[in-house]
Amino acid sequence: MALLEVENLEIAVAGQSEWLPVVEDCSFSVDNNQTLGIVGESGCGKSLTAMAIMGLLEQSQVNITNGKIWLDGENLLDMSAGDRRRIMGDTMSMIFQEPMTSLNPVYRIGDQIVEALRQHRKMTSAEYRTRALQLLEMVNIPDFQQRINSYPHQLSGGQRQRVMIAMALSCDPKLLIADEPTTALDVTVQNEVLELMLDLQRRTGTAIILISHDMGVIAQTCDEVAVMYRGRIIESSTTAGLFANVLHPYTRGLLNSIPAIDSETEWLDAIPGRVPMLEEKLSGCAFHPRCSYSQPKCADTLPAALSIGESHLVRCHFAGELEL
Amino acid sequence: MLSYFIKRVLAFIPTLIAASMLIFLFIHLIPGDPAAVLLGDTATPEDIAALTRELGLDEPIWRQYIHWFGGVIQGDLGQSLFFKTPVLSVIADGAETSLLLALMTMTWIVIFGVPIGILSATHHGTWIDQLTSGFAIFFASIPTFWLGLYLILFFAVGLGWFPSSGFPSISDDGGWRNLRYLLLPSLTLAAPNAALIIRLVRSSMLDVAKEDHVRTAKAKGLSPAKIAIKHVFRNALIAVAAAFGFTFAALISEAVVTETVFSLPGVGRLVVQSILRRDYPVIQGVILIIVLLYLSINLIVDLAYGWLDPRVSLQ
């Protein structure tokens, strides 16, 4: 069994009168030393999936309605809130999208970095400080000996995200969930942050789930990819396998919308249409209204997950038949 | 920090000069003649004119102002027309009661307002929140004179636990035990203000709870109580600090009704009586001191901001 196994996860949000499903039948797994990328447009349910694994869903508005999340052989969804908190920040931790607002403005970064450590491990104050310095050095914060006493507003966005990474790694987690960790950063800083995460993985063997809307980021960093559309994983494979053999028209659309640096075209390829609203009930394949290969069958029946090759799964009636 | 402090204190001076001019002007616009009030109904116009001259009230108003202000900068607020003693000592007599009342009231506001506000925020949407919010709205809405009278009725007249009125100075017999005289008045005065602090703590905490850094704290596996205090309340305190400052300053003026109900010899009552007596120097003196108090509290609140919020730099 892999470190993390998500089985038929189903998440619903409170609508006006009923619970609306946002994530359906979502299954994947990640193991030590592995990086899984979850990719999709805004609103596809990738962040909610991450929050569900982490245990950060607001129960009143978002609910896990079905499924299991196994971490180290234990189902997280069966645990009491207290047991869950013992895992959060310790065995698994999370990096968020907004480095500018994810740190508490009133505490020094050194204190925030070891806060999870203080919660989960008993040490002396000197040991906490040593660990904070070690973490800051590890994430390449310049002048870390001074920076440990800085407040978040005194750091740049990239530095704050490094602090977030240092914070997430303080207890040597087995699983690190990074929800759009580079989206809010300058392109030049993006690469450094991604490299840093991978470098740390090489050293510590942490499993990483990287959530992104950017196929470029995924291609650069992940061993495996799951493409989500409207709450379902519509295609998943090893990164190399996916890029070599795209089977779902939506995945092709995502890849085409990455501008090539050497192309002369003035227009970016975009997927036509828009992401359907939550309230819209879509029969069959959720992508059919936007799909240029759509057939009557697509609107009627939900495509089953087809296994193609060794580890390539796809939800499309015409997988393998289309010239993508 | 020190240079900021000195700069801010120096900035008090123009404000105080402007305020003193306005105070002087408005007080002399009050209809009624102090000499006539002092001499009573039986005074002849000649007596009144003679006293007016003696008190210097026949001079042009700008000359009266310069005369008064000249005294003020030397620390002399003039003589009370009514008591015939220095204004400063008249105010000092009331200041003990007022300050002790204000401090005791603030203590209640903090003791009741903060924990109940936190409880209300951490249990928002539940019956605990509805109950505390209900109480808060009730106490914010009832008039202080009504609450004061009912507290006297139950605890002083009915149960006889506390004295109903007056406040013998703690330097008199009884010492600190005399503080029991201030218990009912301070509770009366605290009720509406504590209610406002409850509401403010609650709403500020609910605002902070939505911020991203609270999610980070949850992801660290901290307990809900730790998150509520260390991350939510601590940050909400920045908004609440200003309210504490203004509440304290407002207590001095709000105390007028309470001091009257409980017959306390405080500054609030002194102002009202001095207005009725047309005791210009006392009114001017008290208002000037209240202006100074507001300025000082403003400064303290700003210093507190610098301490509570590292993003604020005091320069």
Side-chain angles (χ1 to χ4, degrees), chain B residues 58-277:
Chain B
D58 59 339
E59 302 238 11
I61 187 160
W62 60 269
R63 195 173 280 170
Q64 288 186 45
Y65 174 77
I66 290 172
H67 180 72
W68 175 70
F69 194 73
V72 169
I73 49 179
Q74 295 170 52
D76 176 14
L77 294 176
Q79 291 267 321
S80 159
L81 301 181
F82 181 81
F83 296 104
K84 309 275 194 257
T85 52
V87 168
L88 216 50
S89 72
V90 174
I91 296 174
D93 287 341
E96 182 196 343
T97 312
S98 290
L99 278 179
L100 284 174
L101 180 64
L103 284 174
M104 219 162 150
T105 307
M106 273 320 274
T107 311
W108 296 134
I109 293 175
V110 174
I111 288 178
F112 290 113
V114 172
I116 297 179
I118 294 175
L119 199 71
S120 192
T122 50
H123 292 77
H124 79 105
T126 68
W127 64 270
I128 295 176
D129 180 26
Q130 282 166 0
L131 190 76
T132 52
S133 297
F135 267 111
I137 289 166
F138 175 74
F139 280 112
S141 316
I142 52 172
T144 45
F145 65 86
W146 185 90
L147 182 65
L149 287 174
Y150 271 83
L151 285 176
I152 291 176
L153 205 58
F154 280 111
F155 293 103
V157 179
L159 297 163
W161 289 356
F162 301 104
S164 65
S165 68
F167 175 62
S169 168
I170 50 171
S171 51
D172 293 350
D173 278 348
W176 292 104
R177 278 177 50 79
N178 286 351
L179 283 182
R180 69 186 194 281
Y181 282 88
L182 293 181
L183 193 81
L184 295 183
S186 59
L187 283 174
T188 307
L189 202 49
N193 291 300
L196 289 179
I197 294 291
I198 290 175
R199 301 296 293 166
L200 187 67
V201 168
R202 179 186 181 274
S203 62
S204 314
M205 280 182 72
L206 291 181
D207 282 344
V208 176
K210 288 187 208 118
E211 288 177 16
D212 289 333
H213 66 81
V214 176
R215 188 181 57 186
T216 310
K218 279 183 198 157
K220 288 176 178 172
L222 305 185
S223 67
K226 206 167 193 175
I227 293 170
I229 300 300
K230 197 178 159 192
H231 288 279
V232 181
F233 176 68
R234 171 63 181 77
N235 291 49
L237 205 54
I238 298 167
V240 177
F244 275 130
F246 290 115
T247 306
F248 188 78
L251 285 183
I252 303 290
S253 34
E254 276 177 34
V256 173
V257 175
T258 313
E259 285 176 10
T260 308
V261 170
F262 289 91
S263 313
L264 299 176
V267 174
R269 210 159 62 122
L270 179 67
V271 178
V272 175
Q273 286 170 342
S274 298
I275 292 171
L276 296 176
R277 290 173 191 142

Side-chain angles (χ1 to χ4, degrees), chain B residues 1-14 299 303 314-315:
Chain B
M1 178 69 187
L2 187 71
S3 68
Y4 171 81
F5 183 77
I6 293 167
K7 242 185 273 173
R8 283 289 304 268
V9 172
L10 287 178
F12 283 8
I13 294 167
L299 176 59
L303 292 176
L314 298 179
Q315 261 151 38

